Amino acid sequence: MANRRRRLKLVLIVCAIGIGLFILIRSPPEIETPTESFPREQSPYCSKLCDQIVAMKSLKGIQNFTKFFLEVKEIMRCPWTSNLTQQMIYKTDLHTHCNSSMLFITRENTKLGQRLTYEVERKATKLVDKILYDMLPETAPWGTSRQFGRCAVVGNGGILKNSSCGEKINTADFVIRLNFPPMNYSSDVGVKSSLVTINPSQVTGSFMGLCNSRKPFVDKAAAYGNAYLAISPFSYVISTDLSFRVFYTMKEMRPQQGVLYIHPDYLLMLSRYWRKNGQTGLRLSSGFMLVSVALELCEKVDIYGFWPFPMDLSQQPVSNHYYDNVAAKQGVHQMSEEFLKLLHMHSQGVLQLHVGKCQ
Ligand SMILES: *[C@@H]1O[C@H](CO)[C@@H](O)[C@H](O)[C@H]1NC(C)=O
Ligand SMILES: *[C@@H]1O[C@H](CO)[C@@H](O)[C@H](O)[C@H]1NC(C)=O
Ligand SMILES: *[C@@H]1O[C@H](CO)[C@@H](O)[C@H](O)[C@H]1NC(C)=O
Ligand SMILES: *[C@@H]1O[C@H](CO)[C@@H](O)[C@H](O)[C@H]1NC(C)=O
Ligand SMILES: *[C@@H]1O[C@H](CO)[C@@H](O)[C@H](O)[C@H]1NC(C)=O
């Protein structure tokens, strides 16, 4: 306990210093455009650019994105080098605060007869009765200490359209996809899948709550091969039965493809952690949640399809998703602030963002 408190204090001090630094460097100096040609391995220009991006506190005040896009474009042209020290800092910090062995509800971290508290509707609880306990795996499918090699987290941003990133995504050891996305764009998004999240509202919206025909749902799930489906039954009360229906549908019709329940405590700890570290949105997007998971579990993290702006880097319009142009609900997520955090981590050599074409 004392140890934990000491750690917490340390984190708070580090945060305070960070915020102090941000305030000090609020108006970053102009960068001169370099004249030398690529590659600029460790060039002073690139490291200065990285420092400048890491010093940006928020995108909220920006009226004119031209300059920001220019900086992003430049940083993407700089060679990316990993910084294992900085990566380990994030890994350790995340593991300490949001231990990913709690990511999924398993028999290892959950007992028959205990109560789970909902992540968002904090007054509601769910008894882990025999019915629920029987749905739980013994452990997470990859055990508790497994480290993956290269992971790709594939967002659904329109930036992926015509990106030709599919082949590169397929070379990752572990591919995470979000919100049950269409897979018929393989040259841009690849075919390999290891874990796919589903938002319970998609089960209502697109599959009539699985109350009628369940085949369209199962067919769509089959497009991910045997990738696990991950769903959060205990964030909102309304999601519980929907999630159970997903579980039973798959168990009966496609037993080789498992359904995992995301633990509400894990999501709660994760959102508290990021709130302390500057993410002020009502809720983290599932993309940002899964990037956090990947940072803890993987040796290298590549990010595709995360781009919350209506224009690409050459100021061409970009649709909302690679498969449609339906706008996200406003006010729930702070996608652009999350993106800035990803850009910080890219600049620090912790993960690698891909926002352009892959060839
Ligand atoms: C935005 O900034 C760029 C360069 O800083 C400038 O050329 C452009 O005119 C600005 N656009 C608007 C709409 O203010
Ligand atoms: C890597 O990260 C550490 C910790 O933040 C930092 O001290 C070091 O300067 C970084 N190394 C490089 C090459 O940027
Ligand atoms: C994370 O959870 C696992 C299993 O519950 C436990 O063995 C481990 O000590 C935990 N790690 C931390 C840093 O809390
Ligand atoms: C993608 O490519 C197709 C065909 O090659 C073209 O019609 C379409 O305009 C392109 N879309 C974007 C967003 O570049
Ligand atoms: C993918 O499938 C959807 C619906 O099934 C369809 O509307 C869309 O045109 C397809 N896209 C491609 C590139 O095949």
Side-chain angles (χ1 to χ4, degrees), residues 217-235:
F217 180 86
V218 176
D219 287 347
K220 187 162 176 196
Y224 310 108
N226 288 348
Y228 286 94
L229 304 182
I231 195 162
S232 175
F234 307 114
S235 292

Side-chain angles (χ1 to χ4, degrees), residues 42 47 51 81-87 89 347-348:
Q42 309 290 1
S47 24
D51 291 348
T81 44
S82 71
N83 181 336
L84 294 180
T85 315
Q86 187 66 50
Q87 202 182 317
I89 293 176
S347 308
Q348 293 173 313

Side-chain angles (χ1 to χ4, degrees), residues 5 43 63 99 131 134 163 168 173 186 195 243 247 274 301 304 308 323 346 348 359:
R5 203 170 289 162
S43 79
Q63 303 284 333
N99 196 346
I131 294 173
D134 283 346
S163 69
K168 220 167 151 202
D173 300 309
S186 58
L195 182 71
S243 306
F247 180 92
W274 283 117
V301 179
Y304 301 86
Y323 46 85
H346 174 95
Q348 293 173 313
Q359 284 155 7

